[in-house]
Amino acid sequence: MDKMTLPALHNTGVLYRRILSQFPQDISLAFAYGSGVFKQQGTSQGQMEKNMLDFVFAVDDPVTWHTMNLLQNRKHYSILKLLGPAMISSIQSDHGAAMYYNTLVPMDGRIIKYGVISTERLIDDLMHWKTMYAAGRLHKPVKLLGQADNGKLRAALVANLKSAVTASFLMLPESFSEEELFLQIAGLSYAGDFRMVIGEDKSKVANIVNDNIEHFRILYSNILRDCPQVVYKPQQGKLEVDKSPEGQFIQLMALPRTLQQRITKLVDPPGKNRDVEEILLQMAQDPDCGTVVQQGISSIVKSSSITQSIKGIATAGMWKTVSYSSKKLRKMWKGWRRKPSVSPTS
């Protein structure tokens, strides 16, 4: 390894710890994600260091956490700080994707954005894909900065990865490559996201996967090895999945509850009121099964991405919203001018 890269890697770890130390410490899960953390295609190390660092903090007691954070970091909040911690916590929990973001915050020579979610709502999203907002972030590699010893949370993190694999199997052909699987997984949380139409780089999904195949492999290899539905050949990077009606039925029955409900809504005419199992049994024999799964995911992502973005305007404040949006549009413009080498799957 080039000697020059070692200090940079070491310093990065220190940077995350320094940033984390400036927040109230009662955090059950902290992770960093995005283009400031993981290298993406077409981004140099220098550009990476200019990119905003994105964090998510899961906290057991949001009211107490925001009370402490308002004392420590009052400047991070928009005018909503005047409403106090209980109101901030209620805005966090009751609207959008149950996440409260403070954005464009200068810290230790970097610009950061951090989302706060209650541990309970995070577990709920990981298990059931109610909004797929936090769950979708965690389908992709993240830099884990701290995790409390919480068995329920640990199990939910694994269940979320298994669901991402199962949903992707239903949308892929009988045999496919590791890269195709990871593109499908990385694209799940962008299906139906209106920000991919306005303000996001179109080749984003391919950029996320291409330079981070090894990170995806680490995240998913045990799940793929243990899954009875698939033949996984890591040496060749190839997979074959069970596409029989029986196989597809098992996969559909293993999907998160919200997605099963959305699929049911899409295929069951009003007034029929058949039970979920009966509808999924019928779906398992339908050649369009994968398309319906895709539409179900899109409908979850669409509603949470719109409501969370509207909420983001209030939590960021008007000036920061304009500044943040213009940066996103500039990024999209650069993406348009740079032809993607691999077209992203949705």
Side-chain angles (χ1 to χ4, degrees):
M1 189 188 252
D2 183 336
K3 274 188 182 155
M4 288 306 290
T5 58
L6 279 172
L9 288 173
H10 176 68
N11 290 346
T12 315
V14 172
L15 172 71
Y16 291 127
R17 285 202 299 277
R18 280 174 63 118
I19 288 172
L20 210 54
S21 72
Q22 293 171 62
F23 289 98
Q25 291 305 290
D26 184 21
I27 294 174
S28 64
L29 183 76
F31 63 87
Y33 66 93
S35 57
V37 180
F38 289 96
K39 188 169 174 348
Q40 292 184 9
Q41 216 171 17
T43 311
S44 69
Q45 186 67 37
Q47 282 170 308
M48 231 179 114
E49 282 167 17
K50 288 195 188 86
N51 284 346
M52 182 154 58
L53 284 175
D54 295 293
F55 296 89
V56 166
F57 305 144
V59 303
D60 290 347
D61 180 352
V63 178
T64 304
W65 197 89
H66 284 295
T67 304
M68 309 268 291
N69 200 41
L70 281 161
L71 290 169
Q72 280 175 246
N73 299 305
R74 195 168 177 81
K75 279 188 182 149
H76 296 184
Y77 291 81
S78 71
I79 199 162
L80 295 184
K81 61 174 159 271
L82 302 177
L83 301 174
M87 197 60 188
I88 283 171
S89 180
S90 135
I91 290 165
Q92 174 187 307
S93 302
D94 301 343
H95 305 283
M99 188 94 74
Y100 188 101
Y101 270 105
N102 281 328
T103 190
L104 294 176
V105 174
M107 203 173 255
D108 272 308
R110 296 290 294 264
I111 299 293
I112 77 159
K113 171 177 113 199
Y114 62 95
V116 185
I117 186 169
S118 83
T119 310
E120 191 185 349
R121 290 300 288 271
L122 173 63
I123 290 170
D124 188 49
D125 198 38
L126 293 170
M127 293 300 295
H128 306 305
W129 285 9
K130 201 169 175 185
T131 69
M132 261 186 86
Y133 200 86
R137 293 258 173 273
L138 286 155
H139 289 160
K140 299 174 274 287
V142 300
K143 192 170 183 65
L144 208 56
L145 307 174
Q147 188 177 344
D149 188 18
N150 178 333
K152 215 172 161 189
L153 177 58
R154 216 171 25 246
L157 287 162
V158 176
N160 181 46
L161 296 178
K162 285 183 176 171
S163 296
V165 166
T166 307
S168 297
F169 284 171
L170 285 158
M171 291 188 271
L172 284 160
E174 196 167 0
S175 58
F176 44 90
S177 68
E178 264 181 339
E179 187 182 3
E180 284 169 317
L181 173 65
F182 299 149
L183 280 166
Q184 189 74 59
I185 289 171
L188 291 175
S189 57
Y190 296 117
D193 188 337
F194 83 102
R195 292 168 306 166
M196 292 305 280
V197 181
I198 304 164
E200 291 285 10
D201 183 346
K202 284 288 189 296
S203 52
K204 182 167 185 147
V205 176
N207 292 346
I208 289 167
V209 174
N210 289 344
D211 275 1
N212 295 295
I213 291 264
E214 201 43 56
H215 290 298
F216 275 92
R217 219 172 258 140
I218 291 162
L219 202 53
Y220 286 101
S221 60
N222 285 350
I223 288 168
L224 293 171
R225 274 197 199 100
D226 295 344
C227 177
Q229 296 267 287
V230 73
V231 179
Y232 177 39
K233 304 170 186 168
Q235 277 71 34
Q236 296 100 299
K238 292 267 184 275
L239 301 101
E240 286 161 25
V241 72
D242 184 356
K243 281 279 166 189
S244 69
E246 296 79 13
Q248 296 210 127
F249 178 61
I250 291 166
Q251 289 157 30
L252 287 162
M253 287 298 287
L255 291 174
R257 190 175 62 209
T258 311
L259 181 51
Q260 288 180 340
Q261 288 162 351
R262 296 291 176 117
I263 290 168
T264 305
K265 228 183 202 163
L266 284 165
V267 298
D268 196 36
K272 271 285 190 74
N273 295 330
R274 293 176 299 163
D275 70 1
V276 172
E277 196 167 331
E278 194 186 330
I279 291 158
L280 296 182
L281 191 54
Q282 178 199 319
M283 274 299 307
Q285 296 163 64
D286 190 328
D288 290 334
C289 177
T291 311
V292 178
V293 172
Q294 167 90 45
Q295 287 168 345
I297 291 171
S298 292
S299 72
I300 297 170
V301 173
K302 194 183 220 163
S303 46
S304 71
S305 76
I306 290 172
T307 50
Q308 183 65 36
S309 293
I310 292 165
K311 182 166 98 175
I313 296 169
T315 61
M318 206 58 213
W319 180 84
K320 281 187 177 180
T321 299
V322 171
S323 173
Y324 182 61
S325 303
S326 65
K327 282 192 178 80
K328 284 280 185 195
L329 289 165
R330 272 204 301 278
K331 220 169 161 185
M332 178 180 77
W333 174 243
K334 277 186 192 157
W336 274 346
R337 289 168 59 195
R338 200 179 59 233
K339 275 243 181 288
S341 55
V342 179
S343 63
T345 56
S346 54

